[in-house]
Amino acid sequence: MNAPPSIPSWSQPPGIRIENLTLRFGDETVFENLSFEIEGGSFVALLGPSGIGKTSLLKTIAGLTPPVAGCISASDGAPLAHRIAYMGQQDLLFPWLSVLNNVMLGSRLRGEKPDRARARALLAEVGLAERADALPATLSGGMRQRAALARTLYEHRPVLLLDEPFSALDAITRARLQERAAELLRNHTVLLITHDPMEACRLSHQLRVMTGYPATLGEPIEVPGATPRAPDDPALLNLQAELLKRLLAGSET
Amino acid sequence: MIARAPFLRVAVPLAVGVGVLIAWEGLVRFYQVPAFLLPAPTAIWQAFAANADNLMVSLWVTLKVTLAAFALAVVGGVGLAVLFSQNRLIEMALFPYAVVLQVTPVVAIAPLILIWVGLDHAERALLILAWIVAFFPMLSNTTLGLRSADHNLRDLYKLYGASRWQTLTELQLPSALPYILAGMKISGGLALIGAVVAEFVAGSGTSTGLAWRIIESANRLQIAKMFAALFLLSGLGIAIFFALTLLEHLTLRHWHESAVKREN
């Protein structure tokens, strides 16, 4: 990513270490003593049935939902806060701000000087250069999702938590955006929630499947080779079948 | 499709109004209804023309009380709701009393208020009473609006390091705006009702509002003049409603779901 010198870049994005994390909503235990690690600079896809607690896990890592117990830390020992960008299921664009101002929202809130050039460049990356001054209500669902992605990238954080960022897109736009994202998200530590085994297999270095109540994580599945992988790669198709099998097995329990 | 044609939206209700007036006039003349029961529209018009000066002065008095009460209700309601949103304890402590103020019939408090402000300052009593009636919708709507900001957007603000002030002014208040404007539409009408009811109960001292004109005309059996005052009150209410609807449209048209024209 061609960040201007005003924004400090990172040489190696930190990994995330999750230790004995427990989350409860009232009497309901979402997960208990959950421990896993995400290597710095890796792209991890998190799959699992709806309602299992994937989004809750992401929000807990982002610091939005306080856990009952457990510890979330960065592998380099420095605090994780302010190094995480989060993109939710909904686009969360502010209806009264133009697309451009939505992208630059973070810097405005922090009282920094908004970097218009970079915001416009990111909008161009996601194919929204023409709509920079439009209001979100005039955009289609896919366009809004792309604007939200541009905003997440504008935050310029080494750790990205993405909750089904491409789910609202049509197949063609999704495939294109996945390829762009794979480029743009290089040199980030990414945890991506997705329901799409194909998406998981194309983009990630490692897959994790979350199942059960309270939820547990299955053994990591390593995906070899450079990303983004071609959709017709035979190895990818095999892996996708394997993944579907695991998901189906997980949803029966 | 019919409901969308702008011309018809004005023309149809207008035609109904004209039709009713013509029928009214015709029936009153045909059955020779006594003027003290139901005056004909032309008689009402004549009564208005003959008393235009004092009716317009009264209209101005009522308008002043209404607008002042409404403005205070908006400022007070939004202000207190903002305070509530910042501090749950204050909300817990004060909200029940706001409800008490709302549910106690204003007519019942009127004599007390009048005694407190003094009979020489009846217009102050009118203002306070109209404000009591108009205040609560502003408070409850704004409170609801401030709470209804999307939780995910709040999370986003938290993540982006927004201050409490920024969250209030840039997220909660804009999210509450449709609720505030809806509250204003209710409150504007209630301020007028409050001003009139208060004047019925408390009188209006030296300056005379439209409510007092109605009482006065009724006592003197000047029913045509009473109708004229009544029409002025309706007209005032309609004008307030339209002004607030226009404000709502102008404020929300660019971004709110209720006003944005869809492309798809």
Side-chain angles (χ1 to χ4, degrees), chain A residues 182-210:
Chain A
E183 307 268 323
L184 291 166
L185 302 186
R186 222 154 257 163
N187 199 30
H188 285 75
T189 304
V190 182
L191 181 56
L192 167 88
I193 294 180
T194 177
H195 281 293
D196 181 357
M198 158 83 106
E199 181 170 285
C201 294
R202 285 196 75 193
L203 293 178
S204 50
H205 304 118
Q206 192 187 75
L207 311 174
R208 307 291 307 236
V209 178
M210 202 172 178

PDB file of all heavy atoms in Angstrom, chain A residues 182-210:
ATOM      1  N   ALA A 182      -6.941  -9.160  -1.696  1.00  0.00           N
ATOM      2  CA  ALA A 182      -5.754  -9.971  -1.435  1.00  0.00           C
ATOM      3  C   ALA A 182      -4.495  -9.125  -1.614  1.00  0.00           C
ATOM      4  O   ALA A 182      -3.539  -9.250  -0.853  1.00  0.00           O
ATOM      5  CB  ALA A 182      -5.732 -11.174  -2.365  1.00  0.00           C
ATOM      6  N   GLU A 183      -4.498  -8.258  -2.638  1.00  0.00           N
ATOM      7  CA  GLU A 183      -3.357  -7.361  -2.858  1.00  0.00           C
ATOM      8  C   GLU A 183      -3.276  -6.318  -1.742  1.00  0.00           C
ATOM      9  O   GLU A 183      -2.224  -6.117  -1.137  1.00  0.00           O
ATOM     10  CB  GLU A 183      -3.530  -6.594  -4.170  1.00  0.00           C
ATOM     11  CG  GLU A 183      -3.806  -7.467  -5.371  1.00  0.00           C
ATOM     12  CD  GLU A 183      -2.517  -7.839  -6.069  1.00  0.00           C
ATOM     13  OE1 GLU A 183      -1.631  -6.970  -6.109  1.00  0.00           O
ATOM     14  OE2 GLU A 183      -2.404  -8.998  -6.521  1.00  0.00           O
ATOM     15  N   LEU A 184      -4.407  -5.655  -1.500  1.00  0.00           N
ATOM     16  CA  LEU A 184      -4.430  -4.527  -0.565  1.00  0.00           C
ATOM     17  C   LEU A 184      -4.137  -4.962   0.870  1.00  0.00           C
ATOM     18  O   LEU A 184      -3.623  -4.188   1.663  1.00  0.00           O
ATOM     19  CB  LEU A 184      -5.796  -3.833  -0.614  1.00  0.00           C
ATOM     20  CG  LEU A 184      -6.124  -3.077  -1.894  1.00  0.00           C
ATOM     21  CD1 LEU A 184      -7.608  -2.741  -1.949  1.00  0.00           C
ATOM     22  CD2 LEU A 184      -5.296  -1.815  -1.985  1.00  0.00           C
ATOM     23  N   LEU A 185      -4.505  -6.202   1.204  1.00  0.00           N
ATOM     24  CA  LEU A 185      -4.384  -6.643   2.596  1.00  0.00           C
ATOM     25  C   LEU A 185      -3.059  -7.357   2.866  1.00  0.00           C
ATOM     26  O   LEU A 185      -2.843  -7.864   3.959  1.00  0.00           O
ATOM     27  CB  LEU A 185      -5.544  -7.563   2.965  1.00  0.00           C
ATOM     28  CG  LEU A 185      -6.947  -6.981   2.812  1.00  0.00           C
ATOM     29  CD1 LEU A 185      -7.988  -7.939   3.341  1.00  0.00           C
ATOM     30  CD2 LEU A 185      -7.047  -5.641   3.517  1.00  0.00           C
ATOM     31  N   ARG A 186      -2.200  -7.384   1.854  1.00  0.00           N
ATOM     32  CA  ARG A 186      -0.887  -7.970   2.094  1.00  0.00           C
ATOM     33  C   ARG A 186      -0.179  -7.142   3.181  1.00  0.00           C
ATOM     34  O   ARG A 186      -0.428  -5.950   3.302  1.00  0.00           O
ATOM     35  CB  ARG A 186      -0.081  -7.923   0.785  1.00  0.00           C
ATOM     36  CG  ARG A 186       0.689  -9.191   0.558  1.00  0.00           C
ATOM     37  CD  ARG A 186       0.947  -9.418  -0.902  1.00  0.00           C
ATOM     38  NE  ARG A 186       0.040 -10.441  -1.437  1.00  0.00           N
ATOM     39  CZ  ARG A 186      -0.171 -10.607  -2.725  1.00  0.00           C
ATOM     40  NH1 ARG A 186       0.395  -9.824  -3.607  1.00  0.00           N
ATOM     41  NH2 ARG A 186      -0.969 -11.569  -3.144  1.00  0.00           N
ATOM     42  N   ASN A 187       0.672  -7.786   3.939  1.00  0.00           N
ATOM     43  CA  ASN A 187       1.359  -7.118   5.049  1.00  0.00           C
ATOM     44  C   ASN A 187       0.388  -6.623   6.132  1.00  0.00           C
ATOM     45  O   ASN A 187       0.629  -5.624   6.788  1.00  0.00           O
ATOM     46  CB  ASN A 187       2.240  -5.963   4.544  1.00  0.00           C
ATOM     47  CG  ASN A 187       3.303  -5.575   5.578  1.00  0.00           C
ATOM     48  OD1 ASN A 187       3.744  -6.432   6.344  1.00  0.00           O
ATOM     49  ND2 ASN A 187       3.683  -4.311   5.609  1.00  0.00           N
ATOM     50  N   HIS A 188      -0.745  -7.324   6.263  1.00  0.00           N
ATOM     51  CA  HIS A 188      -1.655  -7.109   7.384  1.00  0.00           C
ATOM     52  C   HIS A 188      -1.871  -8.462   8.064  1.00  0.00           C
ATOM     53  O   HIS A 188      -1.726  -9.504   7.433  1.00  0.00           O
ATOM     54  CB  HIS A 188      -3.030  -6.630   6.905  1.00  0.00           C
ATOM     55  CG  HIS A 188      -3.061  -5.205   6.460  1.00  0.00           C
ATOM     56  ND1 HIS A 188      -2.532  -4.803   5.263  1.00  0.00           N
ATOM     57  CD2 HIS A 188      -3.582  -4.097   7.036  1.00  0.00           C
ATOM     58  CE1 HIS A 188      -2.723  -3.493   5.124  1.00  0.00           C
ATOM     59  NE2 HIS A 188      -3.359  -3.029   6.193  1.00  0.00           N
ATOM     60  N   THR A 189      -2.238  -8.411   9.317  1.00  0.00           N
ATOM     61  CA  THR A 189      -2.740  -9.618   9.974  1.00  0.00           C
ATOM     62  C   THR A 189      -4.255  -9.546   9.865  1.00  0.00           C
ATOM     63  O   THR A 189      -4.861  -8.589  10.325  1.00  0.00           O
ATOM     64  CB  THR A 189      -2.323  -9.651  11.460  1.00  0.00           C
ATOM     65  OG1 THR A 189      -0.904  -9.547  11.523  1.00  0.00           O
ATOM     66  CG2 THR A 189      -2.790 -10.922  12.128  1.00  0.00           C
ATOM     67  N   VAL A 190      -4.837 -10.556   9.214  1.00  0.00           N
ATOM     68  CA  VAL A 190      -6.268 -10.470   8.923  1.00  0.00           C
ATOM     69  C   VAL A 190      -7.013 -11.658   9.522  1.00  0.00           C
ATOM     70  O   VAL A 190      -6.588 -12.804   9.389  1.00  0.00           O
ATOM     71  CB  VAL A 190      -6.516 -10.442   7.390  1.00  0.00           C
ATOM     72  CG1 VAL A 190      -8.007 -10.291   7.111  1.00  0.00           C
ATOM     73  CG2 VAL A 190      -5.737  -9.329   6.732  1.00  0.00           C
ATOM     74  N   LEU A 191      -8.116 -11.364  10.193  1.00  0.00           N
ATOM     75  CA  LEU A 191      -9.045 -12.418  10.604  1.00  0.00           C
ATOM     76  C   LEU A 191     -10.370 -12.128   9.901  1.00  0.00           C
ATOM     77  O   LEU A 191     -10.986 -11.078  10.099  1.00  0.00           O
ATOM     78  CB  LEU A 191      -9.227 -12.414  12.119  1.00  0.00           C
ATOM     79  CG  LEU A 191     -10.156 -13.496  12.693  1.00  0.00           C
ATOM     80  CD1 LEU A 191      -9.716 -14.887  12.289  1.00  0.00           C
ATOM     81  CD2 LEU A 191     -10.228 -13.403  14.213  1.00  0.00           C
ATOM     82  N   LEU A 192     -10.748 -13.051   9.030  1.00  0.00           N
ATOM     83  CA  LEU A 192     -11.925 -12.836   8.182  1.00  0.00           C
ATOM     84  C   LEU A 192     -13.004 -13.858   8.522  1.00  0.00           C
ATOM     85  O   LEU A 192     -12.757 -15.056   8.513  1.00  0.00           O
ATOM     86  CB  LEU A 192     -11.516 -12.993   6.706  1.00  0.00           C
ATOM     87  CG  LEU A 192     -12.642 -13.120   5.687  1.00  0.00           C
ATOM     88  CD1 LEU A 192     -13.095 -11.747   5.219  1.00  0.00           C
ATOM     89  CD2 LEU A 192     -12.219 -13.953   4.489  1.00  0.00           C
ATOM     90  N   ILE A 193     -14.202 -13.357   8.835  1.00  0.00           N
ATOM     91  CA  ILE A 193     -15.339 -14.266   8.988  1.00  0.00           C
ATOM     92  C   ILE A 193     -16.003 -14.392   7.629  1.00  0.00           C
ATOM     93  O   ILE A 193     -16.225 -13.383   6.944  1.00  0.00           O
ATOM     94  CB  ILE A 193     -16.375 -13.711   9.985  1.00  0.00           C
ATOM     95  CG1 ILE A 193     -15.784 -13.647  11.375  1.00  0.00           C
ATOM     96  CG2 ILE A 193     -17.630 -14.571   9.983  1.00  0.00           C
ATOM     97  CD1 ILE A 193     -16.761 -13.096  12.399  1.00  0.00           C
ATOM     98  N   THR A 194     -16.282 -15.612   7.233  1.00  0.00           N
ATOM     99  CA  THR A 194     -16.985 -15.778   5.970  1.00  0.00           C
ATOM    100  C   THR A 194     -17.858 -17.028   6.025  1.00  0.00           C
ATOM    101  O   THR A 194     -17.595 -17.956   6.789  1.00  0.00           O
ATOM    102  CB  THR A 194     -16.000 -15.861   4.784  1.00  0.00           C
ATOM    103  OG1 THR A 194     -16.731 -16.084   3.603  1.00  0.00           O
ATOM    104  CG2 THR A 194     -14.980 -16.961   4.966  1.00  0.00           C
ATOM    105  N   HIS A 195     -18.914 -17.015   5.219  1.00  0.00           N
ATOM    106  CA  HIS A 195     -19.747 -18.206   5.088  1.00  0.00           C
ATOM    107  C   HIS A 195     -19.451 -18.910   3.776  1.00  0.00           C
ATOM    108  O   HIS A 195     -20.082 -19.898   3.438  1.00  0.00           O
ATOM    109  CB  HIS A 195     -21.226 -17.820   5.139  1.00  0.00           C
ATOM    110  CG  HIS A 195     -21.715 -17.570   6.519  1.00  0.00           C
ATOM    111  ND1 HIS A 195     -21.816 -18.564   7.447  1.00  0.00           N
ATOM    112  CD2 HIS A 195     -22.089 -16.436   7.150  1.00  0.00           C
ATOM    113  CE1 HIS A 195     -22.248 -18.064   8.581  1.00  0.00           C
ATOM    114  NE2 HIS A 195     -22.406 -16.762   8.435  1.00  0.00           N
ATOM    115  N   ASP A 196     -18.515 -18.364   3.055  1.00  0.00           N
ATOM    116  CA  ASP A 196     -18.260 -18.837   1.697  1.00  0.00           C
ATOM    117  C   ASP A 196     -16.950 -19.630   1.677  1.00  0.00           C
ATOM    118  O   ASP A 196     -15.871 -19.047   1.725  1.00  0.00           O
ATOM    119  CB  ASP A 196     -18.184 -17.610   0.782  1.00  0.00           C
ATOM    120  CG  ASP A 196     -17.941 -17.994  -0.655  1.00  0.00           C
ATOM    121  OD1 ASP A 196     -17.777 -19.191  -0.930  1.00  0.00           O
ATOM    122  OD2 ASP A 196     -17.881 -17.082  -1.495  1.00  0.00           O
ATOM    123  N   PRO A 197     -17.013 -20.977   1.618  1.00  0.00           N
ATOM    124  CA  PRO A 197     -15.793 -21.788   1.624  1.00  0.00           C
ATOM    125  C   PRO A 197     -14.844 -21.392   0.493  1.00  0.00           C
ATOM    126  O   PRO A 197     -13.626 -21.392   0.667  1.00  0.00           O
ATOM    127  CB  PRO A 197     -16.313 -23.213   1.414  1.00  0.00           C
ATOM    128  CG  PRO A 197     -17.725 -23.180   1.850  1.00  0.00           C
ATOM    129  CD  PRO A 197     -18.225 -21.804   1.548  1.00  0.00           C
ATOM    130  N   MET A 198     -15.413 -21.044  -0.648  1.00  0.00           N
ATOM    131  CA  MET A 198     -14.592 -20.643  -1.785  1.00  0.00           C
ATOM    132  C   MET A 198     -13.783 -19.394  -1.447  1.00  0.00           C
ATOM    133  O   MET A 198     -12.577 -19.322  -1.713  1.00  0.00           O
ATOM    134  CB  MET A 198     -15.507 -20.402  -2.989  1.00  0.00           C
ATOM    135  CG  MET A 198     -14.934 -19.519  -4.055  1.00  0.00           C
ATOM    136  SD  MET A 198     -13.879 -20.433  -5.177  1.00  0.00           S
ATOM    137  CE  MET A 198     -14.938 -20.522  -6.595  1.00  0.00           C
ATOM    138  N   GLU A 199     -14.451 -18.421  -0.824  1.00  0.00           N
ATOM    139  CA  GLU A 199     -13.775 -17.180  -0.447  1.00  0.00           C
ATOM    140  C   GLU A 199     -12.641 -17.475   0.540  1.00  0.00           C
ATOM    141  O   GLU A 199     -11.519 -16.998   0.388  1.00  0.00           O
ATOM    142  CB  GLU A 199     -14.790 -16.233   0.204  1.00  0.00           C
ATOM    143  CG  GLU A 199     -14.233 -14.893   0.613  1.00  0.00           C
ATOM    144  CD  GLU A 199     -15.359 -13.936   1.015  1.00  0.00           C
ATOM    145  OE1 GLU A 199     -16.047 -13.449   0.102  1.00  0.00           O
ATOM    146  OE2 GLU A 199     -15.557 -13.717   2.220  1.00  0.00           O
ATOM    147  N   ALA A 200     -12.964 -18.314   1.523  1.00  0.00           N
ATOM    148  CA  ALA A 200     -11.970 -18.682   2.534  1.00  0.00           C
ATOM    149  C   ALA A 200     -10.764 -19.332   1.866  1.00  0.00           C
ATOM    150  O   ALA A 200      -9.616 -18.995   2.165  1.00  0.00           O
ATOM    151  CB  ALA A 200     -12.596 -19.623   3.551  1.00  0.00           C
ATOM    152  N   CYS A 201     -11.026 -20.245   0.933  1.00  0.00           N
ATOM    153  CA  CYS A 201      -9.938 -20.976   0.299  1.00  0.00           C
ATOM    154  C   CYS A 201      -9.121 -20.093  -0.640  1.00  0.00           C
ATOM    155  O   CYS A 201      -7.923 -20.282  -0.811  1.00  0.00           O
ATOM    156  CB  CYS A 201     -10.480 -22.168  -0.484  1.00  0.00           C
ATOM    157  SG  CYS A 201     -11.224 -23.409   0.568  1.00  0.00           S
ATOM    158  N   ARG A 202      -9.762 -19.127  -1.263  1.00  0.00           N
ATOM    159  CA  ARG A 202      -9.042 -18.268  -2.202  1.00  0.00           C
ATOM    160  C   ARG A 202      -8.096 -17.325  -1.487  1.00  0.00           C
ATOM    161  O   ARG A 202      -7.010 -17.029  -1.958  1.00  0.00           O
ATOM    162  CB  ARG A 202     -10.029 -17.414  -3.014  1.00  0.00           C
ATOM    163  CG  ARG A 202     -10.767 -18.156  -4.073  1.00  0.00           C
ATOM    164  CD  ARG A 202     -11.386 -17.179  -5.051  1.00  0.00           C
ATOM    165  NE  ARG A 202     -10.372 -16.619  -5.931  1.00  0.00           N
ATOM    166  CZ  ARG A 202     -10.573 -15.569  -6.709  1.00  0.00           C
ATOM    167  NH1 ARG A 202     -11.733 -14.941  -6.681  1.00  0.00           N
ATOM    168  NH2 ARG A 202      -9.631 -15.123  -7.495  1.00  0.00           N
ATOM    169  N   LEU A 203      -8.536 -16.801  -0.325  1.00  0.00           N
ATOM    170  CA  LEU A 203      -7.831 -15.661   0.263  1.00  0.00           C
ATOM    171  C   LEU A 203      -6.897 -16.009   1.413  1.00  0.00           C
ATOM    172  O   LEU A 203      -5.950 -15.275   1.674  1.00  0.00           O
ATOM    173  CB  LEU A 203      -8.855 -14.638   0.771  1.00  0.00           C
ATOM    174  CG  LEU A 203      -9.688 -13.942  -0.294  1.00  0.00           C
ATOM    175  CD1 LEU A 203     -10.684 -13.010   0.375  1.00  0.00           C
ATOM    176  CD2 LEU A 203      -8.795 -13.161  -1.251  1.00  0.00           C
ATOM    177  N   SER A 204      -7.153 -17.104   2.130  1.00  0.00           N
ATOM    178  CA  SER A 204      -6.468 -17.225   3.419  1.00  0.00           C
ATOM    179  C   SER A 204      -5.285 -18.178   3.407  1.00  0.00           C
ATOM    180  O   SER A 204      -5.149 -19.031   2.535  1.00  0.00           O
ATOM    181  CB  SER A 204      -7.477 -17.622   4.490  1.00  0.00           C
ATOM    182  OG  SER A 204      -8.215 -18.714   4.030  1.00  0.00           O
ATOM    183  N   HIS A 205      -4.442 -18.002   4.412  1.00  0.00           N
ATOM    184  CA  HIS A 205      -3.321 -18.903   4.627  1.00  0.00           C
ATOM    185  C   HIS A 205      -3.725 -20.034   5.551  1.00  0.00           C
ATOM    186  O   HIS A 205      -3.116 -21.081   5.569  1.00  0.00           O
ATOM    187  CB  HIS A 205      -2.152 -18.152   5.271  1.00  0.00           C
ATOM    188  CG  HIS A 205      -1.707 -16.968   4.480  1.00  0.00           C
ATOM    189  ND1 HIS A 205      -1.758 -15.680   4.964  1.00  0.00           N
ATOM    190  CD2 HIS A 205      -1.229 -16.877   3.217  1.00  0.00           C
ATOM    191  CE1 HIS A 205      -1.318 -14.840   4.038  1.00  0.00           C
ATOM    192  NE2 HIS A 205      -0.997 -15.542   2.965  1.00  0.00           N
ATOM    193  N   GLN A 206      -4.729 -19.759   6.356  1.00  0.00           N
ATOM    194  CA  GLN A 206      -5.139 -20.747   7.346  1.00  0.00           C
ATOM    195  C   GLN A 206      -6.654 -20.649   7.551  1.00  0.00           C
ATOM    196  O   GLN A 206      -7.207 -19.555   7.532  1.00  0.00           O
ATOM    197  CB  GLN A 206      -4.431 -20.443   8.663  1.00  0.00           C
ATOM    198  CG  GLN A 206      -4.539 -21.542   9.676  1.00  0.00           C
ATOM    199  CD  GLN A 206      -3.957 -21.114  11.013  1.00  0.00           C
ATOM    200  OE1 GLN A 206      -4.570 -20.340  11.739  1.00  0.00           O
ATOM    201  NE2 GLN A 206      -2.781 -21.633  11.332  1.00  0.00           N
ATOM    202  N   LEU A 207      -7.302 -21.808   7.727  1.00  0.00           N
ATOM    203  CA  LEU A 207      -8.744 -21.821   7.968  1.00  0.00           C
ATOM    204  C   LEU A 207      -9.016 -22.339   9.378  1.00  0.00           C
ATOM    205  O   LEU A 207      -8.353 -23.264   9.838  1.00  0.00           O
ATOM    206  CB  LEU A 207      -9.448 -22.750   6.962  1.00  0.00           C
ATOM    207  CG  LEU A 207      -9.105 -22.585   5.488  1.00  0.00           C
ATOM    208  CD1 LEU A 207      -9.785 -23.678   4.675  1.00  0.00           C
ATOM    209  CD2 LEU A 207      -9.568 -21.219   5.000  1.00  0.00           C
ATOM    210  N   ARG A 208      -9.983 -21.725  10.044  1.00  0.00           N
ATOM    211  CA  ARG A 208     -10.401 -22.228  11.351  1.00  0.00           C
ATOM    212  C   ARG A 208     -11.907 -22.404  11.307  1.00  0.00           C
ATOM    213  O   ARG A 208     -12.624 -21.524  10.829  1.00  0.00           O
ATOM    214  CB  ARG A 208     -10.068 -21.252  12.477  1.00  0.00           C
ATOM    215  CG  ARG A 208      -8.641 -20.770  12.575  1.00  0.00           C
ATOM    216  CD  ARG A 208      -7.643 -21.827  12.994  1.00  0.00           C
ATOM    217  NE  ARG A 208      -7.919 -22.555  14.199  1.00  0.00           N
ATOM    218  CZ  ARG A 208      -7.067 -22.621  15.242  1.00  0.00           C
ATOM    219  NH1 ARG A 208      -5.936 -21.951  15.231  1.00  0.00           N
ATOM    220  NH2 ARG A 208      -7.354 -23.367  16.274  1.00  0.00           N
ATOM    221  N   VAL A 209     -12.370 -23.529  11.790  1.00  0.00           N
ATOM    222  CA  VAL A 209     -13.809 -23.785  11.811  1.00  0.00           C
ATOM    223  C   VAL A 209     -14.297 -23.752  13.256  1.00  0.00           C
ATOM    224  O   VAL A 209     -13.731 -24.402  14.128  1.00  0.00           O
ATOM    225  CB  VAL A 209     -14.143 -25.147  11.163  1.00  0.00           C
ATOM    226  CG1 VAL A 209     -15.641 -25.416  11.238  1.00  0.00           C
ATOM    227  CG2 VAL A 209     -13.675 -25.163   9.718  1.00  0.00           C
ATOM    228  N   MET A 210     -15.337 -22.973  13.486  1.00  0.00           N
ATOM    229  CA  MET A 210     -15.870 -22.800  14.834  1.00  0.00           C
ATOM    230  C   MET A 210     -17.188 -23.566  14.911  1.00  0.00           C
ATOM    231  O   MET A 210     -18.082 -23.367  14.084  1.00  0.00           O
ATOM    232  CB  MET A 210     -16.111 -21.309  15.055  1.00  0.00           C
ATOM    233  CG  MET A 210     -16.162 -20.856  16.493  1.00  0.00           C
ATOM    234  SD  MET A 210     -16.225 -19.045  16.519  1.00  0.00           S
ATOM    235  CE  MET A 210     -16.337 -18.768  18.273  1.00  0.00           C
TER     236      MET A 210
END
